[in-house]
């Protein structure tokens, strides 16, 4: 039995053996927003913020998250309204199939909380662990540089 | 009620309306097929062959059934009906029996109380194999007559020859679609011998047809429902787990869910055909292309899938968007024990494009001519004949315009940036800025729109007027590309109503919409939506006795005469429309005839920085001009262009499934490299609008052209930077550092091997 605070709410779960935090979130805690596209730490679809750190939840053993605080896509918005990153990504056409989207929103939100005005290079580097197969990244980068106020002119 | 202010239509065709599913997707609330659950649900898993070719001697399910929580283990003996499926011909068994034909082929399926137990059960099924020698060389297969289709095209004056001759041999590796969502679905038995299958797919009705045939069920016993799709790009056009899910649900009487993991996804769907191509181009001294000869061998792998149509595309577009007086093309799709190849974005057109564009550059060099001028000199346009099929181009085909548009775009600053993130070696700092060589490459590609060769290609849409607006019911699959947005726009522009909703109907409620492939949904389902919305509008105006329709209702002379709800008093207003494109013909014995419904072109110019010593490439920029007919949603089109270019760049420099003796050596995202945020070039796009002859509002499909010539443009740019021949893609570091071998050979790259379950 583990105790974790998920999006500000205290939860308990009983992960089976070496189960990942991603599986616990999706299959036991009813939070399917984090996606599983590789289970190898290569795509970022499962990104969550664990005690302030951006992690691939597929690489974290649920048992190791005992006592931690987790923020997922379900808790990333601004009290019920889209946060600036979400707003910008939808408006710029940065969402197609949407499978990468939760992970990218979480990773970008984490970046902007630490650095509200990242340059395009910093954005690309910070998100290099998040694969998107649909958009070619252009619309997402345009959205995020606009939020950062660092768009290339 | 009298209202005199009528709002104009917002978000109709030509605007960049935002997608209706964008908000749920950005919040993580959108339900993908892998997110579905049902009360009392079991999990399924697949037992796969560890050998590319082997005889199945015995299958022992007992060790799996002994595990607590395991409900069933099924083999081909348990499959009622024909037991076979396939898009072009039903040649593939639901589960292998007798002999396995490719690495990772499903041999048995299991269902258990939870995911982990199902996986363990699959591992526990004991199968005894007698390993046989696989046939993995496509050239050898062709020699042995092991093919899915062979084609010979002869057109024009067989004696025409040009003075300047260039020849070349080219190779394209096997690319994976790698949609982020793996194959997944949920089958729910209805308790009366039928099943509702919720599935991420590209073509509900084709899946339905194959499921009922394979399982020998009456068609109305199985209903297929669209579930959220995490990308497709061709990978979901064939059956993967659809039949397995229905079978498990029927046998256990419980809902069954399956989700492939990434390694399984690599073997669980078809791939882009690897190709070997031999070319000879002849031209007059003034640059007029006279003669093109080509021989194309595509490796179709173990089963037919769509190999025959993919090969046909390769051959029909083997010359590219150019006129030629004399053409002789031969092609074969080989049947081997490699993984099955089928649909991937571009569908047979990118492979020859890489080759014919390399040839055009060689020809330009031999002629001492500017490569862009050579292309312009031979560019195909409306009224010309396709050089292979001899079909007259009746729709728009602005080849000249796309070439000129790209050529006129400004080039980036020639200085290499000193930010290591934008150097070929990246932040590894392996590349000193002074070592970087810049190259520029140009390429043009052509492809057909929608289905060809006499296929009865149609799409159905039902327009339904409700008190709340217009509903457009369709079985078409939204794979992420934005069809749902375009249908809404077409509905608005055609009906005058602002409130238009796309309703995804299951296979029991409406006829086929055809596949979400071949760049066809904007034109086909869009065409049906246009008719359905127009018919609804006309009936509403007739019933209301007015001259204008909007969300309030029907108006006459500026006065509202009937609210929407009031129009429905005499029964619902519903119109089912079936849209067909102009008919196409089968080819004659020499591959000629009006086999295509329409054509589309695009041009790309790549700018690359190369570290010639280490063979590393950074694609700096990719400019494009694309023929779109009419831009119904410019923002969506840009999304297709940028995403499609990225997949073309991937094929050019990094994406390849490496095979050794039929075994995949890199079936994971660790070893199969996909472009990241740091690999993405800057993209500038020009949309060339010349309305086509049959798409709604003159629109053409836009999904595939970005992927066709972007690969060739990057290869040309690397050639320009390095002088290396670059006769195969993806370009590997050794091809740059040491030059490609004259006859390209199969890659010997080593990588870790996640084995499929056996
Ligand atoms: S699913 Fe965790 S990184 Fe891909
Ligand atoms: S939108 Fe489909 S993977 Fe990013």
């Amino acid at each position: 039995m583990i105790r974790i605070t998920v999006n500000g709410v205290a939860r308990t779960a009983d992960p089976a053996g070496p189960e990942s935090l991603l599986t616990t979130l999706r299959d036991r805690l009813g939070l399917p927003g984090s996606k599983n596209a590789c289970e190898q730490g290569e795509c970022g679809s499962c990104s969550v913020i664990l005690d302030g750190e951006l992690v691939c939840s597929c690489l974290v053993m649920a048992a190791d998250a005992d006592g931690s605080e987790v923020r997922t896509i379900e808790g990333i918005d601004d009290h019920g309204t889209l946060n600036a990153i979400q707003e910008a990504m939808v408006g710029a056409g940065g969402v197609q199939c949407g499978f990468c989207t939760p992970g990218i929103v979480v990773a970008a939100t984490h970046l902007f909380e630490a650095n509200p005005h990242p340059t395009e290079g910093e954005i690309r580097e910070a998100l290099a662990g998040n694969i998107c197969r649909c958009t070619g990244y252009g619309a997402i980068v345009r959205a995020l540089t606009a939020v950062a106020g660092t768009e290339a002119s | 009620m009298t209202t005199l202010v009528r709002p104009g239509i917002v978000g109709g065709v030509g605007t960049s309306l935002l997608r209706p599913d964008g908000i749920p997707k950005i919040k993580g609330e959108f339900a993908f097929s892998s997110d579905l659950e049902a009360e009392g649900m079991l999990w399924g898993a697949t037992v796969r062959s560890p050998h590319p070719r082997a005889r199945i001697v015995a299958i022992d399910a007992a060790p799996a059934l002994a595990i607590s929580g395991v409900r069933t283990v099924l083999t081909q003996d348990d499959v009622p009906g024909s037991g076979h499926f396939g898009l072009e011909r039903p040649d593939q068994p639901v589960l292998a029996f007798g002999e396995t034909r490719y690495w990772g082929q499903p041999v048995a399926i299991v269902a258990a109380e939870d995911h982990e137990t199902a996986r363990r059960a699959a591992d526990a099924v004991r199968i005894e194999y007698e390993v046989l020698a696989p046939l993995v060389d496509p050239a050898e297969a062709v020699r042995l007559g092991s093919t899915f289709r062979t084609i010979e095209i002869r057109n024009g004056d067989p004696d025409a020859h040009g003075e300047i001759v260039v020849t070349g041999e080219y190779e394209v590796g096997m690319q994976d679609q790698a949609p982020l969502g793996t194959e997944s679905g949920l089958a729910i038995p209805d308790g009366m011998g039928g099943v509702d299958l919720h599935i991420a797919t590209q073509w509900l009705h084709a899946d339905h047809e194959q499921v009922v045939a394979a399982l020998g069920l009456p068609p109305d016993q199985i209903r297929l429902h669209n579930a959220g799709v995490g990308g497709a790009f061709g990978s979901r056009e064939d059956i993967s787990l659809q039949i397995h899910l229905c079978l498990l649900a029927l046998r256990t009487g419980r809902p069954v869910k399956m989700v492939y993991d990434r390694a399984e996804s690599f073997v669980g769907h078809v791939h882009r055909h690897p190709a070997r191509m031999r070319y000879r181009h002849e031209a007059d001294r003034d640059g007029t292309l006279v003669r093109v000869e080509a021989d194309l061998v595509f490796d179709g792998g173990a089963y037919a899938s769509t190999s025959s149509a993919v090969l046909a595309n390769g051959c029909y577009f083997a010359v590219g968007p150019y006129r030629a007086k004399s053409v002789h093309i031969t092609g074969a799709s080989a049947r081997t024990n490699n993984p099955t190849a089928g649909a991937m974005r571009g569908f047979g057109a990118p492979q020859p494009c890489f080759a014919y564009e390399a040839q055009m550059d060689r020809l330009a060099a031999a002629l001492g001519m500017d490569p862009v001028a050579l292309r312009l000199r031979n560019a195909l346009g409306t009224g010309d004949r396709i050089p292979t099929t001899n079909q007259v181009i009746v729709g728009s085909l602005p080849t000249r315009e796309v070439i000129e548009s790209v050529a006129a775009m400004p080039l980036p600053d020639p200085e290499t940036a000193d930010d290591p993130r934008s150097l070929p070696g990246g932040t590894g700092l392996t590349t000193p800025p002074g070592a970087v060589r810049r190259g520029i490459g140009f390429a043009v590609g052509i492809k057909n729109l929608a289905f060809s060769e006499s296929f009865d290609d149609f799409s159905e849409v039902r327009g339904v007027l409700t008190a709340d607006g217009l509903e457009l019911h369709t079985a078409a699959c939204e794979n992420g590309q934005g069809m749902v947005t375009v249908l809404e726009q077409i509905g608005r522009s055609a009906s005058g109503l602002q409130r238009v909703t796309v309703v995804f109907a299951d296979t029991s409620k409406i006829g086929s919409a055809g596949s979400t492939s071949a760049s066809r949904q904007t034109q086909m389902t869009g065409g049906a939506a246009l008719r359905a919305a127009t018919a609804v509008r006309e009936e509403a105006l007739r019933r209301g006795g007015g001259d204008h329709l909007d969300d309030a209702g029907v108006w006459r002379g500026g006065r509202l005469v009937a609210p929407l709800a009031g129009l429905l008093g005499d029964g619902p207003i519903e119109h089912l429309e079936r849209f067909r494109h102009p008919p196409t013909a089968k080819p004659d014995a020499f591959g000629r005839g009006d086999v295509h419904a329409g054509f589309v072109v695009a041009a790309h110019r790549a700018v690359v920085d190369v570290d010639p010593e280490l063979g590393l490439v950074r694609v700096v920029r990719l400019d494009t001009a694309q023929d779109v007919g009419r831009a119904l949603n410019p923002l969506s089109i840009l999304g297709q262009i940028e995403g499609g270019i990225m997949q073309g760049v991937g094929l050019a420099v990094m994406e390849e499934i490496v095979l050794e003796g039929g075994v995949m050596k890199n079936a994971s995202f660790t070893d199969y490299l996909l472009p990241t945020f740091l690999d993405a070039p800057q993209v500038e796009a020009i949309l060339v609008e010349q309305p086509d002859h049959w798409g709604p509002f003159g629109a053409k499909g836009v999904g595939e052209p970005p992927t066709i010539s972007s690969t060739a443009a990057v290869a040309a740019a690397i050639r320009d930077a390095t002088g290396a021949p670059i006769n195969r893609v993806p370009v590997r570091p050794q091809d740059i550092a040491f030059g490609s071998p004259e006859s390209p050979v199969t890659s010997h790259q080593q990588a870790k091997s996640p084995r499929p379950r056996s």
Side-chain angles (χ1 to χ4, degrees):
Chain A
M1 186 68 75
I2 61 166
R3 275 168 224 287
I4 46 177
T5 305
V6 186
N7 301 323
V9 179
R11 306 285 304 264
T12 56
D14 197 4
E19 178 173 307
S20 71
L21 176 59
L22 175 62
T23 300
T24 303
L25 289 170
R26 283 180 57 82
D27 295 352
R28 297 188 197 277
L29 295 175
L31 296 167
S34 307
K35 299 300 171 205
N36 177 353
C38 77
E39 269 183 308
Q40 270 189 328
E42 296 288 349
C43 74
S45 308
C46 60
S47 300
V48 301
I49 299 169
L50 180 67
D51 292 332
E53 294 286 318
L54 181 69
V55 297
C56 292
S57 62
C58 71
L59 291 185
V60 175
M61 283 219 318
D64 288 343
D66 192 13
S68 298
E69 209 165 303
V70 184
R71 266 170 84 201
T72 70
I73 181 68
E74 288 90 349
I76 215 84
D77 59 3
D78 262 346
H79 310 289
T81 58
L82 300 187
N83 73 25
I85 285 159
Q86 291 174 307
E87 193 81 57
M89 275 179 60
V90 171
V95 179
Q96 287 188 28
C97 84
F99 208 84
C100 68
T101 307
I104 289 179
V105 168
V106 169
T109 303
H110 182 259
L111 166 69
F112 276 73
E113 282 171 1
N115 175 6
H117 305 291
T119 62
E120 181 180 328
E122 288 167 339
I123 290 168
R124 287 185 186 273
E125 191 166 4
L127 295 179
N130 290 80
I131 301 280
C132 172
R133 191 55 161 164
C134 299
T135 65
Y137 307 107
I140 300 171
V141 170
R142 284 191 291 278
L144 298 182
T145 51
V147 175
T150 54
E151 314 90 304
S153 50
Chain B
M1 181 169 83
T2 50
T3 314
L4 294 170
V5 186
R6 293 182 309 220
I9 282 298
V10 177
V13 298
T15 68
S16 287
L17 180 68
L18 297 180
R19 50 185 315 141
D21 56 11
I23 301 286
K25 283 178 175 176
I26 201 84
K27 291 163 96 173
E29 287 171 358
F30 180 84
F32 290 91
S33 53
S34 50
D35 299 328
L36 303 178
E37 288 181 349
E39 195 63 32
M41 158 183 110
L42 298 172
W43 281 81
T46 312
V47 187
R48 294 176 180 275
S49 167
H51 309 293
R53 184 167 168 238
R55 197 171 67 78
I56 299 170
V57 178
I59 302 178
D60 181 9
L65 290 166
I67 297 172
S68 142
V70 175
R71 292 293 159 252
T72 190
V73 177
L74 304 176
T75 66
Q76 183 74 357
D77 289 343
D78 302 296
V79 184
S82 77
H84 284 74
F85 67 94
L87 265 178
E88 284 181 352
R89 56 180 105 141
D91 65 341
Q92 184 157 1
V94 171
L95 294 162
F97 64 99
E99 197 175 299
T100 68
R101 296 193 39 85
Y102 68 94
W103 184 75
Q105 181 168 11
V107 182
I109 44 176
V110 307
E113 292 293 337
D114 63 78
H115 199 180
E116 206 32 54
T117 307
R119 290 186 191 186
R120 275 198 295 129
D123 283 339
V125 174
R126 225 179 277 141
I127 303 178
E128 194 187 321
Y129 294 99
E130 178 193 335
V131 177
L132 303 171
L135 175 59
V136 293
D137 176 7
E140 169 81 0
V142 173
R143 265 195 302 281
L144 295 171
S146 174
T147 56
F148 295 112
R149 182 174 180 178
T150 58
I151 294 177
E152 180 173 19
I153 300 175
R154 283 179 189 278
N155 191 30
D157 173 4
D159 299 322
H161 286 279
E163 243 180 281
I164 308 296
V165 178
V166 294
T167 61
E169 281 184 36
Y170 304 92
E171 184 179 280
V172 176
M174 178 182 273
Q175 188 180 21
D176 191 71
Q177 301 86 346
L180 270 208
T182 60
E183 290 73 6
S184 55
L186 173 67
I188 305 175
D190 64 9
M192 295 177 296
V195 177
D196 285 277
L197 175 64
H198 300 261
I199 183 78
T201 179
Q202 292 179 235
W203 191 353
L204 278 187
H205 283 79
D207 285 2
H208 178 263
E209 210 176 288
Q210 293 172 84
V211 172
V212 298
L215 299 182
L217 292 167
D220 59 356
Q221 291 276 76
I222 301 277
R223 294 156 300 272
L224 265 66
H225 306 254
N226 268 310
V229 182
F233 319 115
S235 68
R236 299 185 207 269
E237 200 165 50
D238 292 70
I239 291 282
S240 54
L241 38 61
Q242 289 84 333
I243 303 170
H244 298 164
L245 275 169
C246 291
L247 185 60
L248 287 170
L250 284 169
R251 291 295 289 253
T252 61
R254 306 253 305 262
V256 181
K257 174 173 178 168
M258 275 176 112
V259 181
Y260 285 178
D261 66 20
R262 180 54 57 183
E264 190 170 22
S265 178
F266 270 97
V267 299
H269 59 245
V270 302
H271 310 93
R272 189 184 299 292
H273 284 73
R276 293 183 196 175
M277 300 163 288
R278 210 171 300 153
Y279 267 80
R280 178 186 172 94
H281 277 60
E282 301 182 13
D284 285 339
R285 290 215 164 266
D286 66 358
T288 306
L289 191 57
V290 178
R291 186 181 183 89
V292 178
E293 295 175 10
D295 180 57
L296 281 61
V297 175
F298 283 13
D299 186 354
Y303 290 98
S305 176
T306 47
S307 264
S308 139
V310 172
L311 175 73
N313 265 16
C315 293
Y316 289 141
F317 299 107
V319 178
Y322 306 116
R323 293 181 299 267
K325 290 196 187 106
S326 179
V327 168
H328 185 201
I329 313 291
T330 51
S333 53
R335 182 174 185 261
T336 64
N337 293 109
N338 287 321
T340 303
M344 181 173 175
R345 200 173 197 166
F347 204 74
Q351 292 95 327
C353 182
F354 165 61
Y356 63 68
E357 286 300 85
Q359 286 286 100
M360 291 301 275
D361 282 346
R362 286 186 175 186
L363 195 56
L367 288 159
M369 205 172 162
D370 172 58
V372 172
L374 174 68
R375 288 173 168 89
L376 282 172
R377 166 156 213 109
N378 295 289
L380 274 183
T382 305
D384 286 337
R385 288 176 181 275
I386 298 288
T388 46
T389 60
N390 211 37
Q391 179 171 358
V392 175
I393 300 160
V394 295
S396 66
L397 196 73
T399 311
R400 170 168 288 279
E401 289 78 357
V402 297
I403 295 173
E404 285 171 339
S405 301
V406 172
M409 290 166 89
L411 278 165
D413 190 342
E415 285 300 304
T416 314
D418 44 6
D419 182 343
R421 282 180 294 239
S422 49
L423 288 173
T427 47
L429 299 178
T430 53
T431 303
V436 171
R437 279 199 233 148
R438 177 152 289 184
I440 299 170
F442 197 88
V444 195
I446 182 169
K447 193 190 171 286
N448 55 327
L449 292 162
F451 293 155
S452 309
E453 292 189 321
S454 83
F455 188 89
D456 182 21
D457 192 8
F458 64 85
S459 176
E460 278 189 12
V461 169
R462 181 182 292 111
V464 180
L465 189 73
T466 72
D468 290 325
L470 174 67
E471 291 178 355
L472 295 171
H473 296 233
T474 174
C477 302
E478 167 61 51
N479 290 341
Q481 80 280 30
M483 173 196 74
V484 63
T485 325
V486 165
L487 295 182
E488 209 176 294
Q489 292 176 273
I490 290 172
R492 288 182 182 184
S493 287
S495 70
L497 296 164
Q498 192 69 40
R499 290 196 299 261
V500 178
T501 317
V502 175
V503 177
F504 292 108
D506 70 69
T507 48
S508 71
K509 307 267 172 30
I510 195 163
S512 178
S515 181
T516 296
S517 67
S519 301
R520 65 183 281 293
Q521 289 299 18
T522 294
Q523 285 174 281
M524 299 297 298
T525 300
L530 174 58
R531 287 190 185 169
T534 305
V536 165
R537 172 191 160 83
E538 280 166 5
E539 185 172 349
L541 291 178
R542 207 164 41 241
R543 280 197 196 177
D547 50 37
H548 178 85
L549 176 69
D550 65 19
D551 287 354
V554 170
W555 303 68
R556 186 172 53 230
R559 271 175 193 284
L560 187 67
V561 290
L564 283 191
L567 295 170
L568 305 173
D570 297 335
I573 298 182
E574 282 193 16
H575 286 274
L576 179 68
E577 293 288 336
R578 180 178 272 211
F579 181 84
R580 281 190 167 82
H581 60 66
T584 59
K586 283 202 192 320
D588 69 14
F590 288 108
R592 290 171 303 209
D594 293 347
V595 299
H596 293 129
F599 306 94
V600 62
V601 283
H604 293 90
R605 185 183 63 195
V607 178
V608 303
D609 281 344
V610 181
D611 175 338
E613 227 161 275
L614 293 179
L616 301 174
V617 179
R618 173 168 159 70
V619 183
V620 176
R621 195 177 178 88
L622 237 153
D623 293 319
T624 183
Q626 183 168 322
D627 158 29
V628 300
R630 178 152 173 214
L632 299 190
N633 186 318
L635 184 68
S636 283
I637 294 176
L638 182 61
Q640 287 302 296
I641 287 177
E642 289 184 318
I645 282 176
M646 198 74 270
Q647 293 181 2
V649 169
L651 178 59
V653 296
M654 63 179 80
E655 289 185 38
E656 180 172 17
I657 290 178
V658 178
L659 295 170
E660 238 179 56
V663 176
M664 272 186 205
K665 307 307 282 185
N666 58 342
S668 78
F669 277 0
T670 309
D671 300 316
Y672 182 93
L673 299 183
L674 292 163
T676 71
F677 272 93
L678 287 170
D679 300 306
Q682 296 289 337
V683 171
E684 206 63 57
I686 292 173
L687 310 184
V688 175
E689 294 192 83
Q690 289 188 7
D692 204 11
H693 56 310
W694 60 266
F697 306 96
K700 291 189 184 188
V702 299
E704 292 171 291
T707 311
I708 296 170
S709 45
S710 47
T711 305
V714 172
I718 298 171
R719 245 178 246 126
D720 181 49
T722 62
I726 310 298
N727 52 10
R728 64 106 61 198
V729 284
V731 180
R732 299 156 301 187
Q734 63 267 33
D735 300 333
I736 294 171
F738 309 128
S740 314
E742 250 325 298
S743 317
V745 290
T746 313
S747 155
H748 293 297
Q749 193 178 327
Q750 293 288 333
K752 276 188 293 190
S753 160
R755 292 158 56 84
R757 270 171 257 293
S758 54

